[in-house]
Protein backbone atom coordinates (compact mmCIF):
# COMPACT_ATOMS: atom_id res chain seq x y z
CA UNK A 1 0.00 0.00 0.00
CA UNK A 2 2.09 2.87 -1.28
CA UNK A 3 1.27 6.40 -0.14
CA UNK A 4 2.78 9.88 -0.04
CA UNK A 5 2.67 12.78 2.37
CA UNK A 6 2.27 16.19 0.73
CA UNK A 7 2.06 19.76 1.95
CA UNK A 8 3.54 23.23 2.11
CA UNK A 9 5.86 25.23 4.33
CA UNK A 10 6.42 28.99 4.60
CA UNK A 11 9.21 29.86 7.05
CA UNK A 12 7.81 27.85 9.99
CA UNK A 13 10.69 25.43 9.56
CA UNK A 14 11.09 24.30 13.15
CA UNK A 15 7.47 23.17 13.20
CA UNK A 16 7.91 21.42 9.86
CA UNK A 17 10.98 19.46 11.04
CA UNK A 18 9.01 18.11 14.01
CA UNK A 19 6.12 17.19 11.72
CA UNK A 20 8.55 15.49 9.34
CA UNK A 21 9.94 13.37 12.17
CA UNK A 22 6.46 11.93 12.74
CA UNK A 23 6.08 11.23 9.02
CA UNK A 24 9.33 9.25 8.81
CA UNK A 25 8.48 7.37 12.04
CA UNK A 26 5.40 5.66 10.61
CA UNK A 27 5.05 1.89 11.05
CA UNK A 28 4.18 1.82 7.36
CA UNK A 29 6.69 4.13 5.74
CA UNK A 30 5.71 6.60 3.00
CA UNK A 31 7.02 6.09 -0.50
CA UNK A 32 7.23 9.84 -1.15
CA UNK A 33 7.26 13.10 0.74
CA UNK A 34 6.30 16.06 -1.43
CA UNK A 35 7.04 19.54 -0.07
CA UNK A 36 6.44 22.93 -1.64
CA UNK A 37 8.71 25.36 0.23
CA UNK A 38 7.38 28.90 -0.18
CA UNK A 39 9.64 30.33 2.50
CA UNK A 40 12.96 32.15 2.40
CA UNK A 41 15.42 29.36 3.24
CA UNK A 42 16.46 26.35 1.21
CA UNK A 43 15.98 23.45 3.63
CA UNK A 44 16.48 20.46 1.33
CA UNK A 45 19.67 19.29 3.06
CA UNK A 46 18.04 19.50 6.49
CA UNK A 47 15.14 17.38 5.24
CA UNK A 48 17.49 14.75 3.82
CA UNK A 49 19.27 14.52 7.18
CA UNK A 50 15.97 13.77 8.91
CA UNK A 51 14.98 11.21 6.27
CA UNK A 52 18.46 9.75 6.84
CA UNK A 53 18.88 7.32 3.95
CA UNK A 54 15.49 5.70 4.40
CA UNK A 55 13.88 4.52 1.18
CA UNK A 56 11.68 7.61 0.88
CA UNK A 57 11.70 9.72 -2.26
CA UNK A 58 11.80 13.45 -1.54
CA UNK A 59 10.14 15.71 -4.09
CA UNK A 60 11.14 19.23 -3.09
CA UNK A 61 10.13 22.47 -4.80
CA UNK A 62 11.29 25.87 -3.59
CA UNK A 63 8.90 28.34 -5.14
CA UNK A 64 6.91 31.27 -3.74
CA UNK A 65 3.33 30.72 -4.82
CA UNK A 66 -0.04 30.89 -2.99
CA UNK A 67 -0.85 27.91 -0.77
CA UNK A 68 -3.66 26.52 -2.92
CA UNK A 69 -1.41 26.62 -5.99
CA UNK A 70 1.35 24.99 -3.95
CA UNK A 71 -0.94 22.15 -2.84
CA UNK A 72 -2.02 21.49 -6.42
CA UNK A 73 1.60 21.52 -7.59
CA UNK A 74 2.37 18.94 -4.91
CA UNK A 75 -0.42 16.56 -5.89
CA UNK A 76 0.47 16.84 -9.58
CA UNK A 77 3.81 15.21 -8.72
CA UNK A 78 2.55 12.37 -6.51
CA UNK A 79 3.13 8.91 -7.97
CA UNK A 80 1.53 6.70 -5.32
CA UNK A 81 -2.02 5.37 -5.09
CA UNK A 82 -2.79 7.26 -1.86
CA UNK A 83 -2.00 10.81 -0.75
CA UNK A 84 -2.02 12.22 2.80
CA UNK A 85 -1.88 15.94 3.44
CA UNK A 86 0.24 17.40 6.25
CA UNK A 87 0.38 20.79 7.94
CA UNK A 88 3.60 21.97 9.58
CA UNK A 89 1.89 21.95 12.99
CA UNK A 90 0.58 18.41 12.53
CA UNK A 91 1.96 15.54 14.60
CA UNK A 92 1.04 12.05 13.38
CA UNK A 93 0.77 8.94 15.54
CA UNK A 94 3.03 6.07 14.44
CA UNK A 95 0.10 4.08 13.05
CA UNK A 96 -1.63 7.05 11.40
CA UNK A 97 -0.93 5.91 7.83
CA UNK A 98 -1.69 2.26 8.57
CA UNK A 99 -5.08 3.07 10.14
CA UNK A 100 -6.01 5.54 7.42
CA UNK A 101 -5.19 3.08 4.64
CA UNK A 102 -7.20 0.34 6.33
CA UNK A 103 -10.27 2.58 6.44
CA UNK A 104 -9.81 3.78 2.86
CA UNK A 105 -9.82 0.12 1.79
CA UNK A 106 -12.84 -0.81 3.92
CA UNK A 107 -15.63 -1.52 1.43
CA UNK A 108 -18.32 -1.30 4.11
CA UNK A 109 -17.35 2.30 4.95
CA UNK A 110 -16.79 3.08 1.25
CA UNK A 111 -15.13 6.47 1.87
CA UNK A 112 -12.87 8.32 -0.55
CA UNK A 113 -11.50 10.73 2.05
CA UNK A 114 -10.71 9.79 5.65
CA UNK A 115 -9.14 11.49 8.63
CA UNK A 116 -9.07 11.89 12.37
CA UNK A 117 -10.08 14.58 14.85
CA UNK A 118 -6.94 16.51 15.85
CA UNK A 119 -6.03 16.72 19.51
CA UNK A 120 -4.86 20.25 20.36
CA UNK A 121 -1.52 20.25 22.17
CA UNK A 122 0.57 23.02 23.69
CA UNK A 123 3.99 23.78 22.15
CA UNK A 124 5.51 24.25 25.62
CA UNK A 125 4.70 24.23 29.32
CA UNK A 126 4.74 27.98 29.87
CA UNK A 127 1.56 29.67 31.04
CA UNK A 128 0.74 31.49 27.82
CA UNK A 129 1.21 28.41 25.61
CA UNK A 130 -0.90 26.18 27.84
CA UNK A 131 -3.65 28.80 28.02
CA UNK A 132 -3.66 29.27 24.22
CA UNK A 133 -4.07 25.54 23.66
CA UNK A 134 -6.87 25.45 26.24
CA UNK A 135 -8.67 28.27 24.42
CA UNK A 136 -8.44 26.43 21.10
CA UNK A 137 -9.97 23.31 22.68
CA UNK A 138 -13.06 25.10 23.98
CA UNK A 139 -16.19 23.99 22.19
CA UNK A 140 -18.20 27.12 22.92
CA UNK A 141 -15.53 29.33 21.33
CA UNK A 142 -15.45 27.48 18.02
CA UNK A 143 -19.01 26.10 18.13
CA UNK A 144 -17.64 22.58 17.77
CA UNK A 145 -19.91 20.21 15.86
CA UNK A 146 -19.68 16.50 16.71
CA UNK A 147 -17.05 15.82 14.06
CA UNK A 148 -14.59 18.07 15.92
CA UNK A 149 -14.86 16.10 19.16
CA UNK A 150 -12.22 13.54 20.12
CA UNK A 151 -13.62 10.01 19.79
CA UNK A 152 -16.01 10.79 16.93
CA UNK A 153 -16.60 8.08 14.30
CA UNK A 154 -18.77 8.67 11.28
CA UNK A 155 -19.36 10.39 7.96
CA UNK A 156 -18.57 14.08 8.04
CA UNK A 157 -18.77 17.27 5.99
CA UNK A 158 -15.42 18.34 7.45
CA UNK A 159 -12.19 16.31 7.62
CA UNK A 160 -8.92 17.64 9.05
CA UNK A 161 -6.22 17.59 6.33
CA UNK A 162 -7.48 14.38 4.67
CA UNK A 163 -6.20 11.07 3.33
CA UNK A 164 -7.14 10.64 -0.32
CA UNK A 165 -7.04 8.34 -3.30
CA UNK A 166 -4.55 10.15 -5.50
CA UNK A 167 -6.40 9.87 -8.80
CA UNK A 168 -9.44 11.58 -7.28
CA UNK A 169 -7.61 14.48 -5.65
CA UNK A 170 -5.71 15.04 -8.89
CA UNK A 171 -9.03 15.26 -10.69
CA UNK A 172 -10.84 17.44 -8.15
CA UNK A 173 -7.92 19.58 -6.88
CA UNK A 174 -7.86 22.33 -4.28
CA UNK A 175 -9.49 25.68 -4.91
CA UNK A 176 -10.30 28.89 -3.09
CA UNK A 177 -13.14 31.37 -3.33
CA UNK A 178 -13.70 34.94 -2.24
CA UNK A 179 -15.93 33.72 0.59
CA UNK A 180 -13.95 32.80 3.67
CA UNK A 181 -14.03 29.02 3.65
CA UNK A 182 -10.75 27.13 3.91
CA UNK A 183 -9.42 25.11 0.99
CA UNK A 184 -9.66 21.98 3.18
CA UNK A 185 -13.39 22.48 3.67
CA UNK A 186 -13.91 23.31 0.00
CA UNK A 187 -12.28 20.15 -1.25
CA UNK A 188 -14.35 18.00 1.12
CA UNK A 189 -17.46 19.77 -0.16
CA UNK A 190 -16.35 19.12 -3.75
CA UNK A 191 -15.87 15.41 -3.00
CA UNK A 192 -19.33 15.21 -1.42
CA UNK A 193 -20.97 17.13 -4.28
CA UNK A 194 -19.63 14.46 -6.62
CA UNK A 195 -21.17 11.72 -4.49
CA UNK A 196 -18.06 10.55 -2.64
CA UNK A 197 -18.24 9.74 1.07
CA UNK A 198 -15.92 11.38 3.58
CA UNK A 199 -15.28 9.74 6.94
CA UNK A 200 -13.68 10.41 10.32
CA UNK A 201 -12.34 7.59 12.49
CA UNK A 202 -11.27 7.75 16.13
CA UNK A 203 -8.57 5.18 15.29
CA UNK A 204 -6.71 7.75 13.15
CA UNK A 205 -4.69 9.62 15.77
CA UNK A 206 -3.33 13.06 14.95
CA UNK A 207 -2.41 16.18 16.92
CA UNK A 208 -2.19 19.88 16.16
CA UNK A 209 0.29 22.19 17.90
CA UNK A 210 -1.47 25.37 18.97
CA UNK A 211 -0.04 28.88 18.88
CA UNK A 212 2.26 29.83 21.75
CA UNK A 213 1.23 33.45 22.35
CA UNK A 214 -1.96 35.49 22.60
CA UNK A 215 -0.79 37.69 19.74
CA UNK A 216 -0.32 34.72 17.39
CA UNK A 217 -3.61 33.22 18.54
CA UNK A 218 -5.43 36.47 17.76
CA UNK A 219 -3.83 36.48 14.30
CA UNK A 220 -5.13 32.96 13.79
CA UNK A 221 -8.64 33.98 14.88
CA UNK A 222 -8.53 36.93 12.50
CA UNK A 223 -7.45 34.72 9.60
CA UNK A 224 -9.61 31.68 10.23
CA UNK A 225 -12.46 32.83 12.43
CA UNK A 226 -14.83 33.53 9.57
CA UNK A 227 -13.57 30.41 7.80
CA UNK A 228 -14.62 28.30 10.77
CA UNK A 229 -18.01 29.98 10.99
CA UNK A 230 -18.71 29.61 7.27
CA UNK A 231 -17.51 26.02 7.32
CA UNK A 232 -19.85 25.15 10.17
CA UNK A 233 -22.84 26.82 8.55
CA UNK A 234 -22.12 25.22 5.17
CA UNK A 235 -21.84 21.74 6.70
Amino acid sequence: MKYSFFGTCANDYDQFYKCLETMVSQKLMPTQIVLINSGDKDIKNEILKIINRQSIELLYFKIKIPRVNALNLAIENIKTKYSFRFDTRTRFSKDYAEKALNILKDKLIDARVVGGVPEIISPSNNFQSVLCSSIMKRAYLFFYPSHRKIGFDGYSASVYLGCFETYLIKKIKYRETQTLISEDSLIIKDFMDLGYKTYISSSIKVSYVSRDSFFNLLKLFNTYGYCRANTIFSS
Side-chain angles (χ1 to χ4, degrees):
M1 291 188 291
K2 293 184 178 181
Y3 74 95
S4 301
F5 280 110
F6 72 96
T8 66
C9 180
N11 291 325
D12 47 347
Y13 299 121
D14 289 339
Q15 292 291 347
F16 169 69
Y17 296 147
K18 292 174 183 176
C19 175
L20 178 61
E21 287 172 358
T22 69
M23 288 189 266
V24 302
S25 298
Q26 293 294 301
K27 289 181 181 178
L28 184 62
M29 295 293 284
T31 301
Q32 293 179 303
I33 293 175
V34 186
L35 173 69
I36 311 301
N37 176 12
S38 298
D40 298 326
K41 290 171 55 178
D42 188 341
I43 58 170
K44 185 174 182 178
N45 289 335
E46 286 80 357
I47 296 172
L48 291 172
K49 288 177 185 176
I50 295 172
I51 293 176
N52 192 25
R53 292 181 295 179
Q54 298 185 69
S55 56
I56 300 172
E57 180 185 10
L58 173 65
L59 294 181
Y60 174 87
F61 301 85
K62 188 177 186 311
I63 179 173
K64 290 195 175 185
I65 55 177
R67 184 168 60 181
V68 167
N69 294 347
L71 289 169
N72 286 330
L73 175 61
I75 62 177
E76 284 172 10
N77 287 275
I78 294 172
K79 304 171 187 175
T80 54
K81 184 174 181 179
Y82 300 101
S83 303
F84 299 172
R85 184 180 169 186
F86 69 81
D87 178 271
T88 55
R89 290 181 173 270
T90 309
R91 305 292 182 264
F92 299 105
S93 64
K94 289 182 180 294
D95 61 357
Y96 177 89
E98 182 179 46
K99 296 293 187 183
L101 287 167
N102 286 340
I103 293 171
L104 277 169
K105 294 179 67 179
D106 190 324
K107 293 182 179 179
L108 292 177
I109 293 175
D110 191 31
R112 293 297 178 267
V113 185
V114 304
V117 177
E119 178 185 4
I120 307 300
I121 58 176
S122 173
S124 69
N125 291 323
N126 69 56
F127 173 77
Q128 198 168 172
S129 293
V130 172
L131 185 56
C132 285
S133 65
S134 297
I135 290 171
M136 287 194 71
K137 292 177 184 178
R138 292 183 180 181
Y140 69 82
L141 184 64
F142 281 120
F143 312 107
Y144 274 10
S146 59
H147 58 254
R148 282 300 186 187
K149 295 177 182 177
I150 299 295
F152 175 78
D153 287 277
Y155 299 101
S156 173
S158 177
V159 178
Y160 176 64
L161 297 181
C163 306
F164 307 87
E165 291 188 66
T166 302
Y167 85 95
L168 283 176
I169 196 172
K170 283 189 174 185
K171 180 173 71 172
I172 297 171
K173 296 186 178 181
Y174 287 93
R175 64 185 177 92
E176 59 184 351
T177 65
Q178 296 303 312
T179 56
L180 287 171
I181 299 179
S182 72
E183 72 275 0
D184 289 317
S185 298
L186 283 171
I187 199 165
I188 298 303
K189 181 180 184 301
D190 291 343
F191 267 81
M192 294 179 67
D193 286 348
L194 290 170
Y196 299 115
K197 297 176 183 177
T198 59
Y199 189 84
I200 287 175
S201 171
S202 60
S203 69
I204 302 175
K205 305 294 186 183
V206 60
S207 302
Y208 176 84
V209 180
S210 71
R211 269 39 179 191
D212 58 358
S213 71
F214 296 129
F215 176 73
N216 288 333
L217 189 62
L218 286 172
K219 284 172 61 180
L220 179 70
F221 288 171
N222 183 60
T223 304
Y224 292 111
Y226 288 113
C227 292
R228 173 61 63 87
N230 280 340
T231 297
I232 292 167
F233 294 139
S234 67
S235 63

